[in-house]
Amino acid sequence: MATTFDFNNKTVAVIGGTSGINRGIAERFAAAGAQVAVASRSQDKVDDTVASLKARGAAAALGIAFDVRDPEAVAEGFAKIHESFGDLDILVSGAAGNFPALAADMSVNAFKTVIDIDLMGTIHVMKAAYPYLTRPGASIISISAPQSYLPYEGQSHVCAAKAGVDQITRTLSLEWGLEGIRINSVVPGFIDGTEGAKRLAPSPEVLKGLTRSIPLGRLGDCDDVANACLFLGSDMASYISGTVLAVDGALYQRGSGSTGEMMGHMLRAASAQKKG
Ligand code: HXC
Ligand code: NAP
C-alpha cells in the first residue's frame, strides 16, 4: 500500500517499540520520514530496531533501554530523547506483558507483574513524556487490547490492566485537551505472527477456531494497526481525542465467546493435570 502520510519534520517515540506490532508502527513512521525514538528493556532489541528504522528512511533514529516499571528510568529516558530530538509530536505507548493463566492458579506477583507493566507502565510513560509534548498538536496513542472490554478466561490480569489503560486515555483527553494534546487508544485484534497471538493461541486448533471467529475472516497484520496509528498521529485526526479505536476485523461484535471458552478449557485441563 502506498504511504499517503508525510511525517517529515515530526518526532515520534514508540515505547515498547522493538518487536511485533509496536515495531511495525515505529517502522511505518520511519518510512514516512519522521525521526523516531524507541525504547524497551533489551539493548539488543533496541539496537536492532534502530538499524531497521534508519534503513527504512527515518530522518533520524534513537533507541534507549529502560523498563516501564521503573518511573525514574522512564523519566531519564524521555529526558535523553528530548535532548537529542526536541519536543515530541507523536507518542505511542505499547509496552505490555501477557501470559494465559487462570486467576485461581496465578500468584499475586504474577497478576501484579502485568498490572505493573501494562497499567503502571502506561502512566509512567504519560507522566514522563508530558513536559516534552508539542503544544498544541501532540498526539498520544496507547496500544490497548480487546481484553479492555471483553472478558477472556485466563486473562483477568490483562483485562484489568488494559481497561485501566483505556480509562487513562479517556481521562487524559479531558485533562490535557485544552493544551492541544490529543490522546486515543488503538485496540488491535489478534495480529498474525506476533508474540501476543502466539501466547493466546498456542496450538493450530486454537488458532483455527480463533480465525473462524473473526467476522472479517482473517487475523490482522501489523500494517493494519500501523495504518490506524499513522492516521491518528496525523492532522487528518485533529478533532479526534479520547476515543478507543478497534482495529480488530469486528472481533468485538462477536465477543470473546468461543476463543475465551477454548482458552479456559485448555487452562482448566492443564491445571487439573498439574493437581493430579
Ligand atoms: C503463571 C506466570 C507465568 C505463566 C510468569 N508468571 N509467567 N504465572 N503462568 N505463564 C509469573 C512468575 O511465576 C512470577 O510470579 C511473575 O509472573 C513474574 O514473572 P517473571 O518471569 O519474573 O517476570 P518478568 O521477567 O518481569 O517478565 C514479565 C512477563 C514476560 C510478562 C512474565 O512474559 C514478559 O516479559 N513478557 C513481554 C512480552 C509479552 O508478553 N508479549 C505479549 C504481549 S501481548 P512469582 O509468584 O513466581 O514470582 C498482550 C496482549 C495480547 O499484551 C492480546 C491478544 C489479543
Ligand atoms: P511483543 O512483540 O512482545 O512486544 C512487546 C514490546 O514491549 C517489546 O518491544 C518489548 O521489548 C516491550 N516490553 C515488554 N515489557 C516491557 C517493559 N517492562 N518495559 C519496557 N518495554 C517492555 O508483543 P505484541 O504481541 O506485538 O504486542 C504489542 C502491543 O500490542 C501490546 O501492547 C499488546 O498488549 C498489544 N496487543 C497485541 C495483540 C496481538 O495480537 N499480538 C492484540 C491486542 C493487543 P523488551 O522485551 O525488550 O522489553
Side-chain angles (χ1 to χ4, degrees):
M1 187 195 300
T3 299
T4 51
F5 291 103
D6 178 3
F7 286 97
N8 273 293
N9 302 315
K10 296 289 182 188
T11 298
V12 182
V14 184
I15 309 306
T18 63
S19 61
I21 294 171
N22 303 328
R23 177 165 166 160
I25 295 166
E27 288 173 344
R28 287 289 302 284
F29 275 113
Q35 54 177 358
V36 183
V38 290
S40 80
R41 293 167 299 177
S42 153
Q43 187 68 53
D44 284 351
K45 284 171 73 175
V46 164
D47 293 344
D48 187 64
T49 306
V50 167
S52 163
L53 296 173
K54 287 180 179 161
R56 281 160 200 269
L62 170 72
I64 297 181
F66 60 70
D67 190 320
V68 294
R69 289 170 284 193
D70 178 347
E72 281 162 23
V74 178
E76 273 170 33
F78 273 98
K80 281 187 196 151
I81 294 170
H82 187 252
E83 212 175 279
S84 300
F85 279 1
D87 284 354
L88 294 174
D89 300 298
I90 295 146
L91 167 66
V92 181
S93 171
N98 190 6
F99 47 82
L102 297 170
D105 292 343
M106 219 188 303
S107 70
V108 168
N109 190 47
F111 191 95
K112 183 174 179 296
T113 296
V114 168
I115 298 292
D116 283 346
I117 301 171
D118 295 24
L119 181 55
M120 295 309 296
T122 297
I123 198 67
H124 295 156
V125 165
M126 295 305 152
K127 284 174 70 65
Y130 178 68
Y132 309 127
L133 296 169
T134 303
R135 291 165 168 80
S139 169
I140 303 173
I141 301 161
S142 267
I143 305 301
S144 182
Q147 286 88 333
S148 165
Y149 38 74
L150 293 174
Y152 283 88
E153 289 161 272
Q155 290 283 275
S156 57
H157 45 349
V158 179
C159 291
K162 291 292 193 179
V165 167
D166 287 345
Q167 286 297 66
I168 289 176
T169 290
R170 296 183 180 104
T171 308
L172 295 190
S173 75
L174 303 178
E175 293 189 11
W176 296 354
L178 280 179
E179 296 175 65
I181 297 168
R182 295 184 294 111
I183 174 164
N184 296 286
S185 285
V186 165
V187 173
F190 285 90
I191 304 302
D192 202 13
T194 59
E195 189 58 32
K198 281 179 208 154
R199 289 182 185 214
L200 293 194
S203 72
E205 298 78 53
V206 180
L207 190 63
K208 203 169 150 197
L210 191 159
T211 308
R212 208 172 38 227
S213 75
I214 298 168
L216 279 186
R218 66 168 177 91
L219 300 185
D221 62 38
C222 290
D223 270 340
D224 291 323
V225 183
N227 287 335
C229 293
L230 293 183
F231 167 66
L232 287 173
S234 78
D235 289 343
M236 291 188 77
S238 60
Y239 202 54
I240 301 178
S241 191
T243 197
V244 174
L245 175 62
V247 182
D248 68 352
L251 171 84
Y252 172 56
Q253 309 308 325
R254 180 85 76 208
S256 56
S258 58
T259 306
E261 198 183 346
M262 259 188 300
M263 262 166 33
H265 178 71
M266 273 176 29
L267 289 167
R268 275 189 289 272
S271 179
Q273 200 175 24
K274 216 164 146 191
K275 287 174 187 151

